[in-house]
Amino acid sequence: MGYGVRRVARAASRGDAAGGRPLWRQRDFAFFWLAQTLSVLGDSFSLIALPLLVLRATGSVARMGLLTGVGGAAMVLAAVFAGVIVDRVDRRRLLIGCDLVRMVLYGLVPVVWLAGPRLWLLYVVLPLCEAVGMLFAVGYVTVVRGLVGTGRLTEANGRLNATAAAAGVLGPLGAGLVAAWAGPADAVAVDAASYAVSASCLLFVRLGERAADDRVPKNTSLGRDLRTGVAYLARHPVLRSLTGLLCLFSFLTFGVNDLVIYHLKHDLGHDDGTVGTVLAVGAVGTITGALLVAPLRRRLGFGPTWIGATALCGLAFAGLGRLGTVPAVAALSAVYLACVGMAGTCSMSLRQEITPEPLLGRVTSAYWTLQYSMAPVGAAVLTWAAGRYGTAPVAAAAGACCTLIALAALCTPVRGAGRT
């Protein structure tokens, strides 16, 4: 029995040992679940607060897009090396360290802002935090299978995404209210505090000792490690197709949050509190999608679920810029985020299921590096085009292209993947 099969068998046995117990009653997963939810709660504050800091200081959607693009570029660069690091170190300590580093970095923003706006700081802090966040994200993906077993991966990922989205409901709403009442810099302070609590929760998670056959050989070169993940993706027909399709999808959608904020504030003339409320309502869609994804995948299979969700994403995106009322924008945002959540949970679960444990960090890293390689450029182009031509035609064009990506998937191995 090969090393990958042995590890999958051990993970499956661990999941089976838990029987049919609800996931929240499994101690280690419950603490991990809480830590991840708190991290997302903090992220949702900065998701609103940082663009608002830029918009308030400059009034420019292009500058918002530039900040998003710089952060995305740092995330992509970090993804190149994240898998190598995750597969070599103690993953629990890594996750705790990532939380503490982000706590310190985001904590600098409100302190420095006391002396007045310092936009240069955002262009330093956000890229560093995005890089550390990518390291955390790759580590997070590698941990879940060991906590719940292979058979419950989609359910676990769905629950994690659902509660993260619930935090996302409170986060944007809270961030918008805090930003309107005390200023966006104070909302960033809440983000910093959330990472401190998340790190404390991770102290109670027991991941167990990784087996010798799950470790990267010490004499392996960095270049070989970096190529290993890419080589695995290239050999696997479904993951190869998904990576290519998601690269295009990320290019088109990475700046959608900035586009929604700009549409609400510039086109419709609403305040920061309304922005937070709309994004909070949109996050309800993510909760719905996360709760529906496991039963839908069991019934339809991976391919139809992923393709259908991606197609609906495109249709929802296409209509966002044409809606002139806040309730309509919020409703369509909820549809968009529900479908993004379903497609994302499906693809992550499939990758966790089929990748051997010793390669999971590097494969995840390579997958995300390629998927988001063009995303920062896409965010900059999308927001520049919205500022020049308006949000309606830009959203319509980008959404139509997203739907075409779903149709293209019908001609790839993705269509028949995960039928069992």
Side-chain angles (χ1 to χ4, degrees):
M1 184 183 291
Y3 61 81
V5 176
R6 286 198 298 271
R7 178 58 179 173
V8 170
R10 285 196 298 273
S13 297
R14 182 173 179 177
D16 292 342
R21 283 191 301 163
L23 291 174
W24 62 268
R25 294 186 60 189
Q26 299 180 31
R27 176 188 178 278
D28 293 323
F29 181 77
F31 275 110
F32 178 78
W33 195 351
L34 178 58
Q36 175 64 10
T37 302
L38 289 169
S39 288
V40 174
L41 179 63
D43 286 339
S44 65
F45 265 73
S46 59
L47 182 72
I48 302 295
L50 294 181
L52 286 178
L53 282 172
V54 175
L55 191 61
R56 180 171 291 187
T58 67
S60 170
V61 67
R63 294 291 293 273
M64 290 170 62
L66 179 61
L67 180 63
T68 301
V70 170
M75 181 180 67
V76 171
L77 181 61
V80 175
F81 302 97
V84 176
I85 297 172
V86 168
D87 284 340
R88 287 177 176 269
V89 303
D90 183 293
R91 291 169 178 171
R92 176 173 167 271
R93 292 179 181 177
L94 176 69
L95 294 178
I96 293 172
C98 288
D99 273 342
L100 294 177
V101 169
R102 287 183 289 179
M103 176 195 71
V104 172
L105 290 172
Y106 278 126
L108 288 173
V109 174
V111 173
V112 172
W113 232 254
L114 291 174
R118 298 290 188 272
L119 288 179
W120 63 266
L121 181 64
L122 302 184
Y123 289 92
V124 173
V125 167
L126 184 63
L128 290 175
C129 286
E130 289 292 331
V132 175
M134 173 56 71
L135 195 60
F136 183 95
V138 174
Y140 149 74
V141 169
T142 64
V143 164
V144 177
R145 186 167 73 185
L147 289 174
V148 303
T150 305
R152 302 187 73 176
L153 271 173
T154 302
E155 179 190 356
N157 287 328
R159 296 298 182 269
L160 285 164
N161 290 341
T163 51
V169 171
L170 299 176
L173 179 60
L177 294 175
V178 171
W181 176 60
D186 288 321
V188 179
V190 176
D191 186 10
S194 73
Y195 289 118
V197 182
S198 174
S200 299
C201 292
L202 287 170
L203 290 172
F204 295 95
V205 177
R206 299 167 300 183
L207 297 183
E209 184 68 22
R210 292 166 64 189
D213 60 1
D214 287 347
R215 297 182 181 276
V216 178
K218 292 183 178 180
N219 59 351
T220 302
S221 68
L222 176 61
R224 181 177 179 182
D225 274 345
L226 293 174
R227 292 193 298 270
T228 298
V230 176
Y232 186 85
L233 291 176
R235 290 194 304 268
H236 198 285
V238 176
L239 293 183
R240 182 176 63 239
S241 300
L242 268 179
T243 303
L245 293 169
L246 285 172
C247 182
L248 296 174
F249 185 82
S250 298
F251 175 85
L252 294 165
T253 63
F254 196 67
V256 67
N257 187 66
D258 291 335
L259 208 64
V260 171
I261 293 174
Y262 182 70
H263 181 52
L264 289 169
K265 290 186 67 68
H266 180 269
D267 298 340
L268 304 184
H270 291 283
D271 59 13
D272 295 350
T274 302
V275 172
T277 302
V278 167
L279 294 184
V281 172
V284 175
T286 306
I287 299 174
T288 304
L291 294 176
L292 289 176
V293 64
L296 278 176
R297 187 184 168 187
R298 283 194 298 268
R299 183 178 181 84
L300 303 177
F302 170 82
T305 303
W306 188 88
I307 292 171
T310 303
L312 287 175
C313 281
L315 294 175
F317 189 8
L320 275 174
R322 297 187 177 277
L323 301 178
T325 66
V326 171
V329 173
L332 210 53
S333 295
V335 173
Y336 172 82
L337 291 172
C339 295
V340 167
M342 284 194 286
T345 300
C346 275
S347 60
M348 182 168 67
S349 299
L350 183 71
R351 189 175 66 255
Q352 289 169 311
E353 291 165 5
I354 63 182
T355 304
E357 177 69 19
L359 301 178
L360 189 53
R362 283 165 288 173
V363 169
T364 298
S365 180
Y367 186 86
W368 282 346
T369 299
L370 296 171
Q371 176 184 342
Y372 292 112
S373 59
M374 294 299 294
V377 178
V381 170
L382 190 73
T383 52
W384 170 84
R388 183 177 179 85
Y389 301 108
T391 54
V394 171
C401 290
C402 290
T403 303
L404 290 176
I405 289 172
L407 295 176
L410 294 172
C411 304
T412 71
V414 171
R415 177 181 180 180
R419 290 190 180 279
T420 58

